[in-house]
DNA sequence: TTGTACGCGTTATCAA
DNA sequence: TTGATAACGCGTACAA
């Protein structure tokens, strides 16, 4: 029971069943034509010996690994793990395996990742990482490995992308607030929180400027506790405000601080979270947010990647538009 | 720019720099002795040609993939994605790559996974999946691939494990409630929620029986909405209860239902969540829970696996004890 | 210090 | 319908 069997090879199967390698290979892959008799014979031996083909050798011979690489900052953010789930789901269905490459919020590390991905011979890559820009991805083009870039908008012969649409929606929400609302808006700026937040922030500023309205940008740590404390201070003199936060835990910090300062939501304070999780509906008050189904994004990315691998991808860009999910933290 | 370069091989590097394959190989791996001169020459050519060794061929030649497989039900649960992060962190540091294998809550699927993992030639496996028991993992022992089984307690020559300690703690909490508390306890039973919950539930029953106390087991969906509705009904006649839930979103459902039924927490209703997330502290009232740092679990699992691969793992079992994090949803 | 030649476990192209 | 045999890209004794 404890004797570590050496790996059974196709050679031994061939010998043991009295045929050649080629025939065994044909049986494994259902390719060519094999007489029913010999086929069964070989299959029996395979079962008896517990033979499993080496994916490595197969990959080397066919130049296909059935591995796809996923480059992400870390699996910690819910939206990323949701995306990961979408990807793995499709992968499993289509016979691919996911190799995970996480970067550590440093450009050097991200570039290092690219090296490792190239080395690993993946059949394709899904990138969801702000450290990597279009030029970086050219490396993949050079090695002819197809790429889907999520939350970006570049395409090339072997590069497709899935950009997110937040701009239109945030514009509409802000302008609605101009007409129907009664509060000055504040955007919570988080240092180094990536392209997505930056784009929303830029749009926030642009819409305000364009409408000649005042606004606030407030620096904010990406930490519940710190944000909670900061807003406890802030609400000593600011008693009316519409706050836009990056994610629901930060939004919750603002809301809890508001409640604890004797302010009421959404009458005195309104809060909008850009990214929402299932907790957005569980928290009291529930938190309005801009929804994108990231599991769906993952699935779509994978489907696009498969098409790209097969050379059948027609539309290289597929945009996911966010949807406003109105909860109790905002009036409209 | 669009001409897909064929992959540069060690062969071309050798030819281009006027040395043999072997020398190039030595340069790549810093093995053997190479004259400084030729080394630099080769390195220059490598850089010029943009040569990257094929991990595939290397793996085939050395019988090492530097890949480790991670078998999990899905990355959706926060505690799993936390564990995943711990694993990837150590992996990156130690030069391994993570291959993800997700199972779909079916035994057949899980066994299928094992096949694929074997095929893929990983150097080791971390298993965190309730569908797989000790016998199933023997397959790995046969193929001499080291395994760390998380949330289980089996060991073998090439199998280590990381069990979780919830029993002692839950016993203490329950018995504390017997002496200091004033409420009958209810355990939320979720069908098919895995070993971890079952074990806690068994302990819950055992402690009650042993102390000759009454208790309730209530069936419950693993859904916030359903649980919320159910408890809204339940709180029409049950007005005092100590509820133990699997995770904080379910605990929150009970708490919100309590609040909405005019009951106060923790005076009338107490709730304990077994698994907590960061939202446990954010939700109002905050939710008491039994804490285990799953990122730490992931790290430890990976360190143990590396030792197991190197044949230097001494203690094959490392237990993580949970810690009671008292919040506002319970009295003591 | 360097080069030769074989092995790793498959697939695939020919003949037979 | 089958069987040799050459790739696939690299590591590594062994020889030089």
């Amino acid at each position: 029971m404890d004797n570590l069997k050496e790996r059974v090879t196709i050679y031994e199967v061939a010998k043991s069943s009295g045929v050649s390698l080629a025939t065994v290979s044909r049986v494994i892959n259902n390719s060519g034509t094999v007489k029913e008799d010999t086929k069964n014979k070989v299959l029996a031996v395979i079962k008896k010996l517990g033979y499993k083909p080496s994916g490595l050798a197969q990959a080397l011979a066919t130049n296909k690994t059935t591995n796809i690489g996923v480059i992400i900052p870390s699996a910690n953010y819910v939206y990323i793990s949701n995306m990961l789930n979408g990807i793995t789901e499709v992968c499993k269905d289509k016979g691919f395996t996911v190799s995970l490459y996480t970067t550590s919020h440093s450009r050097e590390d991200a570039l290092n990742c690219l090296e490792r991905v190239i080395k690993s011979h993946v059949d394709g890559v899904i990138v969801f990482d702000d450290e990597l820009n279009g030029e970086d991805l050219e490396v993949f083009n050079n090695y002819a490995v197809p790429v889907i870039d999520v939350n970006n908008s570049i395409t090339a012969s072997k590069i497709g992308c899935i950009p997110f649409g937040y701009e239109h929606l945030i514009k509409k929400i802000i302008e609605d607030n101009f007409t129907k609302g009664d509060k000055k808006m504040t955007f919570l700026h988080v240092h180094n929180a990536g392209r997505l937040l930056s784009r929303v922030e830029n749009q926030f500023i642009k819409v305000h400027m364009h409408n000649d309205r005042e606004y606030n940008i407030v620096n904010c740590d990406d930490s519940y506790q710190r944000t909670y404390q900061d807003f406890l201070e802030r609400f000593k003199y600011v008693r009316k405000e519409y706050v836009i936060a990056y994610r629901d835990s930060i939004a919750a910090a603002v809301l809890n601080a508001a409640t604890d300062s004797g302010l009421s939501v959404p009458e005195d304070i309104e809060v909008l979270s850009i990214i929402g999780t299932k907790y957005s509906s569980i928290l009291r008050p529930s938190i309005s947010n801009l929804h994108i189904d990231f599991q769906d994004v993952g699935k779509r990315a994978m489907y696009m990647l498969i098409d790209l691998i097969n050379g059948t991808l027609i539309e290289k860009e597929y945009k996911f538009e966010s949807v406003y999910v109105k909860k109790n933290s905002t009036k409209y």
Side-chain angles (χ1 to χ4, degrees), chain A residues 115-323:
Chain A
E115 296 287 310
R116 292 175 51 207
V117 173
I118 299 283
K119 265 201 67 163
S120 80
H121 259 262
V122 294
D123 290 345
V125 184
I126 294 176
V127 179
F128 186 14
D129 195 304
D130 280 332
E131 299 290 346
L132 266 19
N133 58 46
E135 290 179 25
D136 298 330
L137 300 187
E138 270 185 20
V139 174
F140 289 122
N141 234 350
N142 287 341
Y143 285 86
V145 12
V147 179
I148 298 295
D149 198 3
V150 179
N151 186 26
N152 214 340
S153 191
I154 56 161
T155 59
S157 70
K158 282 288 182 185
I159 301 185
C161 65
I162 299 187
F164 296 142
Y166 283 104
E167 273 91 345
H168 288 327
L169 189 54
I170 198 78
K171 175 165 189 267
K172 184 172 178 314
I173 291 172
I174 295 173
E175 290 182 342
D176 268 18
N177 184 68
F178 289 160
T179 58
K180 296 187 285 186
D182 57 352
K183 303 186 186 68
K184 188 168 156 188
M185 298 186 108
T186 294
F187 194 94
L188 260 40
H189 173 89
V190 180
H191 182 62
N192 232 338
R195 276 198 289 263
L196 196 156
L197 186 60
S198 306
R199 271 183 15 229
V200 176
E201 182 173 345
N202 287 340
Q203 177 75 341
F204 172 87
I205 296 173
K206 192 171 142 195
V207 175
H208 275 82
M209 304 259 281
H210 191 263
N211 287 268
D212 209 23
R213 294 276 196 151
E214 286 190 358
Y215 62 88
N216 287 319
I217 303 284
V218 171
N219 285 311
C220 152
D221 279 354
D222 192 13
S223 136
Y224 172 86
Q225 275 305 332
R226 290 288 299 268
T227 306
Y228 174 75
Q229 291 299 339
D230 288 352
F231 271 82
L232 232 35
E233 280 305 309
R234 182 177 180 83
F235 287 144
K236 283 180 182 163
Y237 56 95
V238 178
R239 309 294 288 178
K240 206 173 186 65
E241 192 170 28
Y242 187 120
V243 180
I244 300 180
Y246 185 33
R247 40 181 178 151
D248 56 8
S249 54
I250 299 300
V254 176
L255 289 171
N256 284 343
T259 308
D260 293 351
S261 304
L263 295 166
S264 59
V265 178
E267 290 73 19
D268 304 318
I269 303 295
E270 294 183 63
V271 178
L272 172 71
S273 173
I274 298 170
I275 305 283
T277 71
K278 69 172 177 180
Y279 290 94
S280 294
S281 319
I282 296 178
L283 286 156
R284 300 293 184 89
S286 54
I287 301 173
S288 301
N289 58 83
L290 274 38
H291 183 259
I292 283 183
D293 184 338
F294 281 91
Q295 176 147 3
D296 227 45
V297 172
K299 287 193 200 173
R300 170 67 57 172
M302 197 54 215
Y303 282 128
M304 286 174 70
L305 185 56
I306 291 176
D307 284 346
L308 202 52
I309 291 173
N310 297 331
T312 61
L313 183 65
I314 325 170
E315 283 297 340
K316 286 191 176 151
E317 176 165 338
Y318 185 100
K319 188 165 191 174
F320 269 81
E321 285 294 343
S322 56
V323 175

Side-chain angles (χ1 to χ4, degrees), chain A residues 22-90:
Chain A
T23 305
V24 179
S25 179
R26 288 186 191 103
V27 172
I28 300 170
N29 302 305
N30 270 320
S31 69
T33 40
V34 183
K35 202 165 63 182
E36 199 63 22
D37 263 6
T38 48
K39 181 171 176 176
N40 289 138
K41 194 169 60 183
V42 172
L43 282 176
V45 174
I46 287 179
K47 195 166 182 181
K48 187 179 120 204
L49 263 47
Y51 164 73
K52 307 211 194 307
S54 157
L56 237 45
Q58 287 181 322
L60 190 60
T62 57
N63 201 26
K64 282 189 176 43
T65 55
T66 65
N67 273 127
I68 76 112
V70 176
I71 303 182
I72 48 177
S74 101
N76 244 338
Y77 304 99
V78 275
Y79 54 94
I80 289 187
S81 61
N82 283 342
M83 197 185 72
L84 206 49
N85 266 297
I87 294 174
T88 52
E89 192 181 311
V90 176

Side-chain angles (χ1 to χ4, degrees), chain A residues 318-332:
Chain A
Y318 185 100
K319 188 165 191 174
F320 269 81
E321 285 294 343
S322 56
V323 175
Y324 181 45
V325 181
K326 157 93 180 64
K327 296 284 179 180
N328 297 327
S329 68
T330 54
K331 276 193 195 168
Y332 308 106

